Amino acid sequence: WRTWAATASVSFACFTVGVAIGFPFATRSAMTCSAGAPVACTRDSATSDELLMMHMAMLIGAIVGALFAGWVCDKFGRRRAVVAATAPAVAGWCAVYVNDAFSPGAIAGRLLVGMSIGLVTTAAPLLLAEAAPKKLRGAHSILPHMAVVKGVAFMYAVPLTPLEVEWRHLALTCVLFNIVALAFSAIFVVESPRWYLARSQDIDAIESLKTLRGAWDDHELVAETAAIISRENAKTSPSGSFAAFSAWHLLTKSSLLRAVTMSCALVAIQQFG
């Protein structure tokens, strides 16, 4: 059950990403005003250009978060990255809630939310792929993307309800979602055994596996198994090989370049469509 609890917690963190992406659509009718309208814009509304700037601020924050996500995941661990990623989102949505619709505070809040998006969307699939059992690795790897889509669908469904929901109420909902994601991640998410093994923390790796798989109770057996894994790992993976990746490899290694090219082509087709 710990495996599924950890998976659900990571997926819920990704659900908050989808909620953030769908927030501009859900609040568009409630926040948009026209500068030439008879009724002047209030502090709870903004022009379409101002709303576009705030959405762009979130995307810029996502780029910044993604740039540092790989380093954070390798330096501090996948679990810490997922847990820590929800903290700026909580602060960002609080800033959106307490500030005017278009203000420096609201823009700063969107930047923080974007940084959280960039970090979560990098760390979550990585953690689930490394921590899942081999037979479930493919299924667990697609769960973060499904959770993002569900979050977007949730926000797209809000305007279809008969209730009149103010955008501040939705911002507060986003705060609560991220607080729940932070608590669940801190309690249930387990560090990747591969991350421990890459740093020769064999006992921690086995303890992580024991938590996820429900196996082994004897500490001596754990230590012995860790020693075996360490020896086998040393035969196939030279020291430091896990940290040998460089961003230039995306262009110099054919397998990575092929994946990047395919991804960019799919994004281009989607955007033109």
Side-chain angles (χ1 to χ4, degrees):
W1 70 269
R2 283 300 300 266
T3 301
W4 290 107
T7 302
S9 300
V10 175
S11 297
F12 190 76
C14 295
F15 174 82
T16 63
V17 171
V19 169
I21 295 173
F23 181 83
F25 178 86
T27 58
R28 182 173 57 187
S29 60
M31 294 183 69
T32 307
C33 67
S34 177
V39 179
C41 292
T42 65
R43 64 184 295 268
D44 285 338
S45 60
T47 65
S48 57
D49 290 340
E50 291 172 342
L51 293 178
L52 182 61
M53 289 180 62
M54 288 191 290
H55 188 59
M56 185 173 64
M58 185 180 71
L59 296 179
I60 293 174
I63 293 173
V64 174
L67 286 174
F68 291 96
W71 177 81
V72 172
C73 289
D74 285 341
K75 179 69 174 179
F76 302 103
R78 288 81 161 104
R79 176 186 177 276
R80 292 190 183 97
V82 172
V83 175
T86 54
V90 173
W93 284 118
C94 287
V96 172
Y97 176 76
V98 301
N99 284 282
D100 296 345
F102 181 73
S103 62
I107 293 177
R110 295 293 183 93
L111 282 170
L112 289 173
V113 172
M115 293 174 63
S116 173
I117 291 174
L119 188 53
V120 169
T121 52
T122 301
L126 183 62
L127 175 60
L128 291 183
E130 292 185 351
K134 184 177 181 180
K135 62 181 180 180
L136 299 175
R137 191 168 297 151
H140 283 204
S141 297
I142 66 172
L143 288 178
H145 308 288
M146 293 179 61
V148 171
V149 174
K150 290 177 182 178
V152 175
F154 173 81
M155 280 299 189
Y156 272 47
V158 169
L160 302 179
T161 61
L163 301 176
E164 184 176 352
V165 182
E166 296 183 3
W167 68 265
R168 290 186 185 275
H169 294 161
L170 286 179
L172 183 60
T173 301
C174 293
V175 173
L176 296 177
F177 278 160
N178 280 276
I179 290 176
V180 172
L182 175 62
F184 281 10
S185 299
I187 295 173
F188 295 115
V189 175
V190 181
E191 184 56 78
S192 164
R194 288 175 177 264
W195 186 80
Y196 282 133
L197 284 174
R199 283 145 187 82
S200 300
Q201 300 179 28
D202 304 320
I203 296 295
D204 293 327
I206 299 301
E207 290 291 344
S208 176
L209 283 172
K210 184 179 72 172
T211 302
L212 291 171
R213 310 286 192 269
W216 300 308
D217 292 321
D218 185 76
H219 185 77
E220 292 182 1
L221 180 59
V222 170
E224 181 182 354
T225 309
I228 295 173
I229 290 179
S230 179
R231 288 196 299 269
E232 295 300 318
N233 190 52
K235 294 177 183 177
T236 57
S237 302
S239 178
S241 62
F242 288 91
F245 173 77
S246 171
W248 290 108
H249 292 166
L250 294 174
L251 301 177
T252 58
K253 292 186 178 296
S254 59
S255 58
L256 297 179
L257 179 61
R258 183 166 57 251
V260 170
T261 303
M262 292 174 61
S263 300
C264 292
L266 289 173
V267 172
I269 292 172
Q270 183 266 334
Q271 290 298 320
F272 282 118

